[in-house]
Amino acid sequence: MPYQLLSEPIRRYIRDKRWESLRPIQGAAIQHILSSDSNFILASRTASGKTEAAFLPILSKVDFRETGVQVLYISPLIALINDQFYRVEELCKNLDVKVTKWHGEANRTEKKKLVQKPEGIVLITPESIEAMLVNAPYSAKALFSNLKYIVIDEIHSFLGTDRGIHLKSLLARLGAVNKTSFRIVGLSATIGDYSEAKKFTGDEVNTKVLLDRSSREMTTCFRYFESDTQELPLEMVKDLYTQTWNHKVLIFPNSRGRAEEIAVKLLKISQRVGGHPNYFSHHSSVDKEVREYVEHFAKHNRRHNFCISCTSTLELGIDIGSVDKVVQVDATHSIASLIQRVGRSGRREGEKSQLLLYATDKWSLLQSLACWLLYKEGYIEPFRTAEKPYDLFLHQALSTVKERSGCTKDELIATMKSNYAFSEIEDQAMQDILDELIRQDWLEQVHRELIIGVEGERMVNSREFYSVFKTEPSFKVVNAGKPIGEIPLTPQVMEDENILLAARIWKIRFVDFKTKKIEVVPAVDGKKPLFLGGGGTVDAKVREKMLEILYADAQYPELDEEGLDKLAELRKDFAIFPLRDFAKERPVLVKDGQIIFYTFTGTRINRSLAFLLNRLDLKHVYDEQSSSFILSINHDLLQELFEQLSLFIEDVDFHLQHALEDNASLLDFSKWGLMLPLQYKGNILEERFYDFKGVNILLSNMLFVSNNTVSLLRSADKLANPH
DNA sequence: GACCTGCTGCGGACTG
């Protein structure tokens, strides 16, 4: 019995709580964590008690009388730390264990106290670990050199991302200052690739996955309302109102502008028909206090219905109470994201989740359906972890030099080589990058010591140094001294224009460029705000599923009549291509001297294909949503074109470097890549932004089936592989 | 038409 294995204070906690039984993931975690010294990944659906699953055995096992922080909990969000703080403190109530929040908005006095007397449990963000290593390496050592466990919450949010590589490097650096090695426990509801999650601990062999596959029952319904303007169809908004007015709802419309449009329009309808006033918007551009108010409202009210129109800010972790309906407007970019969003409803025991999926366009409907079917099949897209993150190496090398107040180049390289986040980076590359940093005055060689250079000081001492992701500059929006939120400066932002923000309509009175403030007053009608920024990338498997649906006979009872009609229409459009093998064949529409080439593949491959067509100077129209390319060439020349593109792939390094010289903004995805030697800039672009291997496979293995002939085009098999 | 995440140290004003 897992319960019997726990220490007495922890058993007392469970008795006091009157829990009838432990959840499956908790039972498994207690048995395994208490009986072995492995690292663990705990994978189980949202609201299944993962935090307790990790902490019940850890609190039973660890001797908190030792000095130094014993357990470090790492979270991707401040809001999640604040939420978990109460739960962890509650878990510790029968133990004499101090719990401390450590992030940019946490109480400084508490942090100071902890430095004077390092003990207990600390809840922290990756950026705060970075800041501590750089600014106060002695405190970092005093606090974190006797760690027994590191718990990483929402670990999937780090996998395959730059922030994840950063965290991996920080874990390696913490490992280096610890007397004995610590164990890592990662928590997540959505993991597609367990081997990636295991590698994250730096010790794949010694990391075990505890998995509870059970899911909650759910009813799903698709609704189709075609939109031919920028705005959502009025009928759709009305339908959305009737579907949600008497529920506690989260609506995910994929963009901040849309989130505002929906919140404002629903509120208008509600005011007209005398419904409830609790319509909110929640995303990164809404003021923090407004967001906290909304979260608090959702969490603490039981009687009132509400409706929050939001982006991925409400996708992770934070428990916002009882939501009984989740609405997704147009397809999610990933299945992982769909799972997280679905998991936001029916968090109370015995509750059924309800999912409503709107589509405003046929391709969006098809993608939405594909994501839903893949989700039911248990597929989650795998992550691509960068093997050679030269830009993050550069950042961490600077950080390490600053942490040590200087060291020799050999010492630095030895340290970086022992860091498992950079184990695939070649010695020569490390030398080249450090030499470039010296040339650019970011590092300076004084006798045998490397120290931070004049230019480097500015970077290392700026607030921006602690994170590895970029953010857009924005203006504060203020009404009568009260902050509403922040928006980027787009052409739309000028005096007398109306905007939507925080679920209200505003007129811009004054834009102050000096203090970066926008003064607004309430208004009655306005446009949704424009936001900059890139979207997500769609996995190739989703597109393959879309193709499969087009050629299947299956009918989907979840679809409404309009959705079924639209699907039938799409199927009819594609029936002209005699496709048989969906793994190997793709449609090509020949029409009026043009061809439309449907790749049905992931965003990265499409993006790479577009890059190659640009290098070839071939005019084309690339549409990501339908995964297609319109080319004004004769259909007979297609094979020749593919051969040409494949030749370009052989020289892709050359083309990437040339493209970078013409257009430096290609590297916008990387915050710390700007100082890399050109060759390595090309490398990170190739590895993290494009997928030329995928293009090669597409061009060389696929059969392209056109509508007017039965002739099959096969591009040459003999194409050389660039790698 | 397309998301999100985090952040130090110091000086000065103010409060108890």
Side-chain angles (χ1 to χ4, degrees), chain A residues 579-646:
Chain A
L579 255 64
R580 286 199 186 82
D581 181 355
F582 310 116
K584 284 230 155 105
E585 295 175 342
R586 290 294 179 271
V588 173
L589 181 70
V590 182
K591 199 183 162 190
D592 308 332
Q594 283 190 328
I595 57 173
I596 304 179
F597 167 35
Y598 290 94
T599 58
F600 281 100
T601 191
T603 308
R604 281 170 190 275
I605 296 179
N606 283 336
R607 190 191 272 162
S608 313
L609 200 54
F611 172 83
L612 294 170
L613 291 170
N614 278 331
R615 290 305 295 174
L616 202 62
D617 237 349
L618 189 75
K619 280 212 174 68
H620 64 273
V621 180
Y622 155 40
D623 179 51
E624 171 59 16
Q625 216 185 6
S626 58
S627 188
S628 69
F629 291 82
I630 304 176
L631 302 166
S632 301
I633 61 165
N634 192 308
H635 146 242
D636 303 334
L637 295 175
L638 202 55
Q639 184 174 330
E640 207 176 301
L641 171 67
F642 289 165
E643 284 170 23
Q644 190 73 41
L645 291 176
S646 293

Side-chain angles (χ1 to χ4, degrees), chain A residues 460-477:
Chain A
V460 171
N461 293 331
S462 102
R463 278 177 57 173
E464 278 296 321
F465 188 70
Y466 310 117
S467 72
V468 298
F469 49 86
K470 272 189 177 176
T471 44
E472 58 191 358
S474 56
F475 278 43
K476 270 203 160 62
V477 179

Side-chain angles (χ1 to χ4, degrees), chain A residues 321-451:
Chain A
S322 55
V323 168
D324 53 34
K325 208 169 214 174
V326 169
V327 180
Q328 174 65 45
V329 180
D330 285 326
T332 52
H333 290 117
S334 71
I335 298 149
S337 184
L338 178 64
I339 295 173
Q340 288 289 134
R341 290 173 183 188
V342 167
R344 306 316 294 164
S345 84
R347 290 171 71 92
R348 300 284 170 266
E349 198 60 32
E351 274 178 35
K352 214 173 177 184
S353 298
Q354 275 196 63
L355 176 64
L356 197 55
L357 295 137
Y358 281 88
T360 60
D361 162 284
K362 57 183 178 182
W363 288 103
S364 165
L365 172 72
L366 190 60
Q367 185 176 320
S368 210
L369 189 57
C371 284
W372 169 241
L373 293 176
L374 286 169
Y375 164 68
K376 284 207 293 189
E377 288 168 23
Y379 177 85
I380 306 177
E381 50 274 273
F383 325 95
R384 252 171 50 144
T385 300
E387 288 186 349
K388 295 175 182 177
Y390 298 115
D391 48 347
L392 285 133
F393 165 84
L394 183 151
H395 175 255
Q396 288 294 285
L398 285 171
S399 169
T400 304
V401 172
K402 165 101 179 180
E403 177 191 350
R404 303 215 179 144
S405 309
C407 60
T408 72
K409 200 185 199 179
D410 289 346
E411 280 167 5
L412 180 60
I413 287 184
T415 305
M416 298 307 286
K417 278 178 73 166
S418 67
N419 185 321
Y420 70 92
F422 308 115
S423 54
E424 297 297 317
I425 292 186
E426 314 83 348
D427 290 17
Q428 187 58 49
M430 294 193 179
Q431 290 282 357
D432 291 346
I433 293 167
L434 295 180
D435 288 346
E436 182 68 17
L437 287 176
I438 294 168
R439 244 193 313 279
Q440 301 285 348
D441 277 337
W442 282 40
L443 287 177
E444 194 181 334
Q445 185 121 31
V446 180
H447 304 299
R448 291 186 58 239
E449 289 268 295
L450 274 183
I451 57 167

